[in-house]
Amino acid sequence: MNNNARVCTVLQHGWDLHCHTVYSDGTNTPVELVEQAVAKGLEGVAITDHDTTAGWRNASAASRRFGFPVLRGTEVTAECGPVSVHMLAYQYDPNNEGISGLFRCTREARLKRAKHMVGLLSEDFPISWQSVLEQVKEGSQTTIGRPHMADALVAAGVYRTRSEAFRGAVSASGKYYIPTPSPSAAEVVRVVRNAGGVSIVAHPADRSRNAVLLDDEHIRQLARLGLDGLEIRHRGNLQADRVRLEALAEELGLLVTGGSDWHGAGKPNRLGENVTDGDVVAEIVRRGAIDMLP
């Protein structure tokens, strides 16, 4: 296999620890996430919507209904110098004021940024804030972002799919793009740890997201602050980068996780295409402040 080829092997066993629902930018409910995971024969899943725990209650109900294990988590956009870093936080205490306050701030900043971007887009496309809100499935509980703008453009007939819109008007390299106001990755590691949670850097070598990748020394710095692991098994990480990151994780004693970054119909990513070993999940639960569902 070419070392620069993207690895997207479909696996039917293990845990998919990176899944989004209608409470952020996914297209399926937490119940539908669990139903599909059961049908695929996965061992378990994690709900990791952006900057929110709003979907946790429904995920808990689905876990009990199907007798299927679920980890509770959140994806947080952070920054490390010029690099945008996505952090996955698992099994933390949602009532911790530090982490709930962080999410309030990031959601408010995201909302302001989204309105600004829609204003810019509306100058050239048939899109409005109301048309974006029509794409939001859970009202004020949903974290609104570029995917909802993309869906509004699809509904208006500008693009055929969300992915096409992301290659076009809502691209991060386009003239309408506004960076997401974000805390530092170091702050996220600290806040998650103080809330009793486990922090993992999501898709750290995904070159489609950053012209500059998070380098090894930055990862070492985060590890010294309490970072728990790296999401290495992800379609955005090239095989050569996976080898490098595996060696770095071993050097630093970091957990190695995998996830699909599933968004339902919102992305081509397939549920269970990259997974995490059960013993790693057990360690995440052991370190976390809350129990695994059900």
Side-chain angles (χ1 to χ4, degrees):
M1 178 184 290
N2 184 331
N3 279 347
N4 289 323
R6 295 189 183 277
V7 178
C8 301
T9 303
V10 177
L11 299 174
Q12 297 300 323
H13 302 289
W15 288 66
D16 191 334
L17 294 191
H18 194 163
C19 305
H20 297 271
T21 76
V22 291
Y23 287 94
S24 63
D25 49 351
T27 61
N28 292 82
T29 67
V31 173
E32 290 167 337
L33 163 61
V34 172
E35 286 178 331
Q36 291 190 36
V38 171
K40 281 185 171 289
L42 292 171
E43 294 177 32
V45 292
I47 179 172
T48 56
D49 286 317
H50 292 277
D51 302 314
T52 186
T53 61
W56 283 20
R57 179 177 296 180
N58 284 351
S60 299
S63 177
R64 290 191 297 271
R65 175 181 167 189
F66 291 95
F68 187 78
V70 173
L71 289 190
R72 286 163 285 182
T74 301
E75 185 168 10
V76 187
T77 301
E79 57 186 28
C80 194
V83 184
S84 176
V85 182
H86 287 199
M87 310 287 293
L88 294 164
Y90 297 107
Q91 298 296 107
Y92 58 84
D93 175 6
N95 297 313
N96 176 271
E97 181 53 37
I99 203 161
S100 58
L102 176 72
F103 292 159
R104 279 196 301 273
C105 290
T106 54
R107 282 169 60 83
E108 288 170 5
R110 274 180 173 272
L111 186 61
K112 183 176 180 180
R113 171 250 198 175
K115 289 180 176 179
H116 192 179
M117 279 191 67
V118 171
L120 296 175
L121 286 162
S122 68
E123 296 175 4
D124 296 323
F125 299 98
I127 186 176
S128 66
W129 185 243
Q130 181 56 41
S131 70
V132 171
L133 291 179
E134 289 170 1
Q135 309 307 315
V136 174
K137 294 181 169 61
E138 294 296 334
S140 62
Q141 294 188 85
T142 301
T143 302
I144 300 175
R146 284 191 295 153
H148 303 101
M149 302 174 208
D151 291 346
L153 290 167
V154 171
V158 177
Y159 296 104
R160 292 171 297 177
T161 66
R162 181 189 283 187
S163 294
E164 190 175 284
F166 264 82
R167 293 192 294 270
V170 298
S171 166
S173 60
K175 69 175 185 178
Y176 308 102
Y177 180 74
I178 298 171
T180 304
S182 305
S184 71
E187 181 184 1
V188 173
V189 169
R190 177 184 61 79
V191 170
V192 172
R193 170 147 292 207
N194 288 344
V198 174
S199 60
I200 307 286
V201 177
H203 40 70
D206 189 345
R207 298 168 189 271
S208 69
R209 297 172 184 271
N210 282 304
V212 179
L213 294 179
L214 190 66
D215 63 31
D216 291 2
E217 187 50 42
H218 279 128
I219 293 173
R220 289 188 178 94
Q221 291 173 11
L222 293 175
R224 287 193 288 270
L225 293 173
L227 178 72
D228 291 281
L230 302 173
E231 182 187 53
I232 296 177
R233 300 172 196 145
H234 183 283
R235 66 160 53 201
N237 297 331
L238 301 179
Q239 181 61 28
D241 288 316
R242 292 190 185 203
V243 172
R244 172 180 61 84
L245 291 169
E246 288 270 7
L248 186 62
E250 183 174 0
E251 170 197 329
L252 299 174
L254 297 176
L255 301 175
V256 172
T257 70
S260 63
D261 209 350
W262 180 79
H263 286 67
K267 280 186 175 182
N269 307 38
R270 295 164 294 180
L271 187 66
E273 69 180 27
N274 283 291
V275 294
T276 302
D277 298 335
D279 58 345
V280 173
V281 174
E283 180 61 18
I284 290 173
V285 173
R286 188 192 69 79
R287 296 183 188 186
I290 57 177
D291 293 333
M292 181 174 66
L293 299 170

mmCIF file of all heavy atoms in Angstrom, residues 103-122:
data_model
loop_
_atom_site.group_PDB
_atom_site.id
_atom_site.type_symbol
_atom_site.label_atom_id
_atom_site.label_comp_id
_atom_site.label_asym_id
_atom_site.label_seq_id
_atom_site.Cartn_x
_atom_site.Cartn_y
_atom_site.Cartn_z
ATOM 1 N N PHE A 103 -17.937 25.596 27.568
ATOM 2 C CA PHE A 103 -18.877 25.328 26.487
ATOM 3 C C PHE A 103 -19.814 26.512 26.252
ATOM 4 O O PHE A 103 -20.157 26.826 25.110
ATOM 5 C CB PHE A 103 -19.683 24.068 26.769
ATOM 6 C CG PHE A 103 -18.861 22.804 26.731
ATOM 7 C CD1 PHE A 103 -19.299 21.660 27.375
ATOM 8 C CD2 PHE A 103 -17.657 22.761 26.064
ATOM 9 C CE1 PHE A 103 -18.545 20.496 27.345
ATOM 10 C CE2 PHE A 103 -16.890 21.608 26.029
ATOM 11 C CZ PHE A 103 -17.338 20.476 26.675
ATOM 12 N N ARG A 104 -20.243 27.188 27.308
ATOM 13 C CA ARG A 104 -21.090 28.363 27.134
ATOM 14 C C ARG A 104 -20.372 29.413 26.303
ATOM 15 O O ARG A 104 -20.943 29.993 25.368
ATOM 16 C CB ARG A 104 -21.477 28.958 28.490
ATOM 17 C CG ARG A 104 -22.626 28.270 29.188
ATOM 18 C CD ARG A 104 -23.196 29.131 30.304
ATOM 19 N NE ARG A 104 -22.197 29.471 31.312
ATOM 20 C CZ ARG A 104 -21.908 28.717 32.363
ATOM 21 N NH1 ARG A 104 -22.542 27.565 32.552
ATOM 22 N NH2 ARG A 104 -20.996 29.107 33.236
ATOM 23 N N CYS A 105 -19.111 29.647 26.636
ATOM 24 C CA CYS A 105 -18.333 30.662 25.910
ATOM 25 C C CYS A 105 -18.125 30.276 24.453
ATOM 26 O O CYS A 105 -18.276 31.104 23.552
ATOM 27 C CB CYS A 105 -16.989 30.876 26.596
ATOM 28 S SG CYS A 105 -17.094 31.695 28.194
ATOM 29 N N THR A 106 -17.759 29.014 24.215
ATOM 30 C CA THR A 106 -17.492 28.599 22.840
ATOM 31 C C THR A 106 -18.770 28.583 22.005
ATOM 32 O O THR A 106 -18.752 28.954 20.823
ATOM 33 C CB THR A 106 -16.825 27.212 22.805
ATOM 34 O OG1 THR A 106 -17.626 26.266 23.530
ATOM 35 C CG2 THR A 106 -15.438 27.258 23.412
ATOM 36 N N ARG A 107 -19.894 28.201 22.594
ATOM 37 C CA ARG A 107 -21.152 28.191 21.849
ATOM 38 C C ARG A 107 -21.588 29.616 21.497
ATOM 39 O O ARG A 107 -22.069 29.881 20.392
ATOM 40 C CB ARG A 107 -22.241 27.470 22.644
ATOM 41 C CG ARG A 107 -22.127 25.946 22.584
ATOM 42 C CD ARG A 107 -23.043 25.268 23.577
ATOM 43 N NE ARG A 107 -24.429 25.585 23.359
ATOM 44 C CZ ARG A 107 -25.217 24.982 22.469
ATOM 45 N NH1 ARG A 107 -24.716 24.027 21.695
ATOM 46 N NH2 ARG A 107 -26.475 25.314 22.340
ATOM 47 N N GLU A 108 -21.425 30.535 22.445
ATOM 48 C CA GLU A 108 -21.765 31.930 22.163
ATOM 49 C C GLU A 108 -20.884 32.493 21.055
ATOM 50 O O GLU A 108 -21.360 33.198 20.158
ATOM 51 C CB GLU A 108 -21.617 32.769 23.439
ATOM 52 C CG GLU A 108 -22.699 32.498 24.472
ATOM 53 C CD GLU A 108 -22.398 33.151 25.815
ATOM 54 O OE1 GLU A 108 -21.382 33.893 25.899
ATOM 55 O OE2 GLU A 108 -23.164 32.925 26.772
ATOM 56 N N ALA A 109 -19.592 32.164 21.115
ATOM 57 C CA ALA A 109 -18.666 32.640 20.080
ATOM 58 C C ALA A 109 -18.995 32.014 18.728
ATOM 59 O O ALA A 109 -18.935 32.681 17.684
ATOM 60 C CB ALA A 109 -17.227 32.318 20.479
ATOM 61 N N ARG A 110 -19.345 30.732 18.723
ATOM 62 C CA ARG A 110 -19.719 30.055 17.484
ATOM 63 C C ARG A 110 -20.965 30.693 16.869
ATOM 64 O O ARG A 110 -21.046 30.871 15.655
ATOM 65 C CB ARG A 110 -20.005 28.570 17.757
ATOM 66 C CG ARG A 110 -18.798 27.655 17.737
ATOM 67 C CD ARG A 110 -19.230 26.232 18.011
ATOM 68 N NE ARG A 110 -18.161 25.273 17.862
ATOM 69 C CZ ARG A 110 -17.834 24.680 16.717
ATOM 70 N NH1 ARG A 110 -18.498 24.971 15.610
ATOM 71 N NH2 ARG A 110 -16.849 23.807 16.661
ATOM 72 N N LEU A 111 -21.933 31.030 17.717
ATOM 73 C CA LEU A 111 -23.177 31.608 17.219
ATOM 74 C C LEU A 111 -22.925 32.969 16.575
ATOM 75 O O LEU A 111 -23.436 33.263 15.485
ATOM 76 C CB LEU A 111 -24.178 31.737 18.367
ATOM 77 C CG LEU A 111 -25.588 32.191 17.993
ATOM 78 C CD1 LEU A 111 -26.243 31.191 17.041
ATOM 79 C CD2 LEU A 111 -26.433 32.374 19.252
ATOM 80 N N LYS A 112 -22.124 33.788 17.243
ATOM 81 C CA LYS A 112 -21.791 35.111 16.700
ATOM 82 C C LYS A 112 -21.049 34.971 15.382
ATOM 83 O O LYS A 112 -21.330 35.682 14.405
ATOM 84 C CB LYS A 112 -20.941 35.876 17.717
ATOM 85 C CG LYS A 112 -20.596 37.295 17.300
ATOM 86 C CD LYS A 112 -19.834 38.006 18.410
ATOM 87 C CE LYS A 112 -19.480 39.425 18.001
ATOM 88 N NZ LYS A 112 -18.718 40.128 19.089
ATOM 89 N N ARG A 113 -20.110 34.057 15.332
ATOM 90 C CA ARG A 113 -19.338 33.812 14.108
ATOM 91 C C ARG A 113 -20.225 33.311 12.986
ATOM 92 O O ARG A 113 -20.112 33.737 11.831
ATOM 93 C CB ARG A 113 -18.229 32.820 14.422
ATOM 94 C CG ARG A 113 -17.460 32.292 13.225
ATOM 95 C CD ARG A 113 -17.763 30.833 12.951
ATOM 96 N NE ARG A 113 -16.764 30.212 12.123
ATOM 97 C CZ ARG A 113 -16.750 28.929 11.820
ATOM 98 N NH1 ARG A 113 -17.672 28.113 12.316
ATOM 99 N NH2 ARG A 113 -15.832 28.427 11.024
ATOM 100 N N ALA A 114 -21.154 32.400 13.306
ATOM 101 C CA ALA A 114 -22.059 31.853 12.289
ATOM 102 C C ALA A 114 -22.930 32.952 11.685
ATOM 103 O O ALA A 114 -23.122 33.016 10.460
ATOM 104 C CB ALA A 114 -22.930 30.758 12.902
ATOM 105 N N LYS A 115 -23.466 33.824 12.516
ATOM 106 C CA LYS A 115 -24.306 34.921 12.016
ATOM 107 C C LYS A 115 -23.503 35.844 11.105
ATOM 108 O O LYS A 115 -24.013 36.315 10.074
ATOM 109 C CB LYS A 115 -24.902 35.698 13.180
ATOM 110 C CG LYS A 115 -25.977 34.944 13.944
ATOM 111 C CD LYS A 115 -26.535 35.777 15.091
ATOM 112 C CE LYS A 115 -27.669 35.048 15.790
ATOM 113 N NZ LYS A 115 -28.219 35.837 16.932
ATOM 114 N N HIS A 116 -22.251 36.100 11.473
ATOM 115 C CA HIS A 116 -21.393 36.948 10.650
ATOM 116 C C HIS A 116 -21.132 36.290 9.293
ATOM 117 O O HIS A 116 -21.235 36.944 8.240
ATOM 118 C CB HIS A 116 -20.078 37.213 11.384
ATOM 119 C CG HIS A 116 -19.241 38.281 10.769
ATOM 120 N ND1 HIS A 116 -18.022 38.689 11.287
ATOM 121 C CD2 HIS A 116 -19.421 39.029 9.639
ATOM 122 C CE1 HIS A 116 -17.508 39.623 10.520
ATOM 123 N NE2 HIS A 116 -18.323 39.848 9.509
ATOM 124 N N MET A 117 -20.824 34.999 9.307
ATOM 125 C CA MET A 117 -20.570 34.298 8.051
ATOM 126 C C MET A 117 -21.806 34.276 7.157
ATOM 127 O O MET A 117 -21.710 34.477 5.937
ATOM 128 C CB MET A 117 -20.101 32.867 8.316
ATOM 129 C CG MET A 117 -18.638 32.743 8.658
ATOM 130 S SD MET A 117 -18.070 31.011 8.652
ATOM 131 C CE MET A 117 -18.220 30.588 6.910
ATOM 132 N N VAL A 118 -22.959 34.038 7.757
ATOM 133 C CA VAL A 118 -24.196 34.006 6.964
ATOM 134 C C VAL A 118 -24.459 35.380 6.353
ATOM 135 O O VAL A 118 -24.909 35.489 5.196
ATOM 136 C CB VAL A 118 -25.381 33.552 7.829
ATOM 137 C CG1 VAL A 118 -26.696 33.720 7.074
ATOM 138 C CG2 VAL A 118 -25.199 32.092 8.239
ATOM 139 N N GLY A 119 -24.162 36.435 7.098
ATOM 140 C CA GLY A 119 -24.312 37.778 6.542
ATOM 141 C C GLY A 119 -23.446 37.982 5.312
ATOM 142 O O GLY A 119 -23.893 38.570 4.310
ATOM 143 N N LEU A 120 -22.218 37.495 5.356
ATOM 144 C CA LEU A 120 -21.327 37.603 4.191
ATOM 145 C C LEU A 120 -21.837 36.758 3.026
ATOM 146 O O LEU A 120 -21.849 37.194 1.866
ATOM 147 C CB LEU A 120 -19.914 37.162 4.575
ATOM 148 C CG LEU A 120 -19.182 38.012 5.614
ATOM 149 C CD1 LEU A 120 -17.837 37.381 5.971
ATOM 150 C CD2 LEU A 120 -18.979 39.430 5.094
ATOM 151 N N LEU A 121 -22.268 35.529 3.319
ATOM 152 C CA LEU A 121 -22.768 34.631 2.278
ATOM 153 C C LEU A 121 -24.018 35.188 1.613
ATOM 154 O O LEU A 121 -24.227 35.019 0.399
ATOM 155 C CB LEU A 121 -23.069 33.254 2.879
ATOM 156 C CG LEU A 121 -21.867 32.376 3.218
ATOM 157 C CD1 LEU A 121 -22.265 31.274 4.195
ATOM 158 C CD2 LEU A 121 -21.276 31.770 1.950
ATOM 159 N N SER A 122 -24.860 35.854 2.403
ATOM 160 C CA SER A 122 -26.137 36.349 1.878
ATOM 161 C C SER A 122 -25.958 37.445 0.832
ATOM 162 O O SER A 122 -26.884 37.737 0.067
ATOM 163 C CB SER A 122 -27.009 36.875 3.025
ATOM 164 O OG SER A 122 -26.449 38.045 3.598
#
